[in-house]
Amino acid sequence: MFIETSRPRELGDRARLVSPLYNASAKFYCVSFFYHMYGKHIGSLNLLVRSRNKGGLDTHAWSLSGNKGNVWQQVHVPIKPSGPFQIIFEGVRGSGYLGDIAIDDVTLKKGECPRKQMDPNKVVVIPGSGAPRQPHPQLWGPMVIFLLALQR
């Protein structure tokens, strides 16, 4: 899902994706998703929670602005709704048309988010994209030992 920034869109225009209404049956929830924010005119991506117990009030749960590079990155956002709720993704257009914001693989799970957040500088490669993969440093030691053993 993405927000298009080309004409006739203007600075500050907003696009929203609103979830169905969820009945809160747990104390904590975790919203996980991948985002892609690339281009010099990127605006912002917001995650809002609309609580029916608060008269439909939207509260910010997470926000990110600006160019984050030509990579997909994952985020886990903890939310603590008080009663029935909806999650809302909001894309806000930046100052020009060079750059789009996209989200993918959105999940909502009961319980707390993983304690370890993904490194924001880690490159996420979409399967089948042909993009180069970053080497796994923890595998180099055993691989070197294995290759040395093969040379003997």
Side-chain angles (χ1 to χ4, degrees):
M1 297 161 276
F2 73 99
I3 178 175
E4 175 58 53
T5 58
S6 300
R7 286 183 25 179
R9 301 286 64 87
E10 295 179 1
L11 174 66
D13 279 358
R14 297 169 188 273
R16 285 185 162 192
L17 291 170
V18 182
S19 77
L21 182 65
Y22 297 105
N23 287 317
S25 59
K27 188 174 182 178
F28 299 101
Y29 287 85
C30 184
V31 180
S32 298
F33 59 96
F34 285 86
Y35 64 88
H36 190 276
M37 299 172 69
Y38 180 57
K40 71 178 187 177
H41 297 138
I42 291 293
S44 60
L45 175 62
N46 303 311
L47 177 66
L48 310 163
V49 177
R50 178 176 292 162
S51 176
R52 290 291 182 210
N53 288 356
K54 296 181 180 176
L57 179 68
D58 297 344
T59 55
H60 270 76
W62 179 89
S63 188
L64 194 62
S65 298
N67 184 1
K68 301 304 174 200
N70 191 13
V71 294
W72 285 93
Q73 299 183 60
Q74 187 177 30
V75 67
H76 305 287
V77 181
I79 62 171
K80 199 174 169 183
S82 59
F85 68 98
Q86 292 173 288
I87 56 172
I88 301 167
F89 286 93
E90 178 183 68
V92 183
R93 186 189 190 265
S95 61
Y97 68 91
L98 295 177
D100 295 315
I101 299 172
I103 60 170
D104 202 349
D105 279 347
V106 178
T107 60
L108 175 68
K109 294 184 180 179
K110 292 178 184 178
E112 294 187 23
C113 290
R115 291 185 189 266
K116 183 180 178 192
Q117 290 286 332
M118 179 176 271
D119 178 354
N121 296 316
K122 181 177 179 183
V123 174
V124 177
V125 177
I126 304 301
S129 69
R133 297 182 182 269
Q134 288 185 330
H136 296 283
Q138 68 272 19
L139 297 178
W140 282 110
M143 188 180 300
V144 169
I145 292 170
F146 176 73
L147 291 174
L148 288 173
L150 284 177
Q151 287 182 333
R152 291 182 181 190

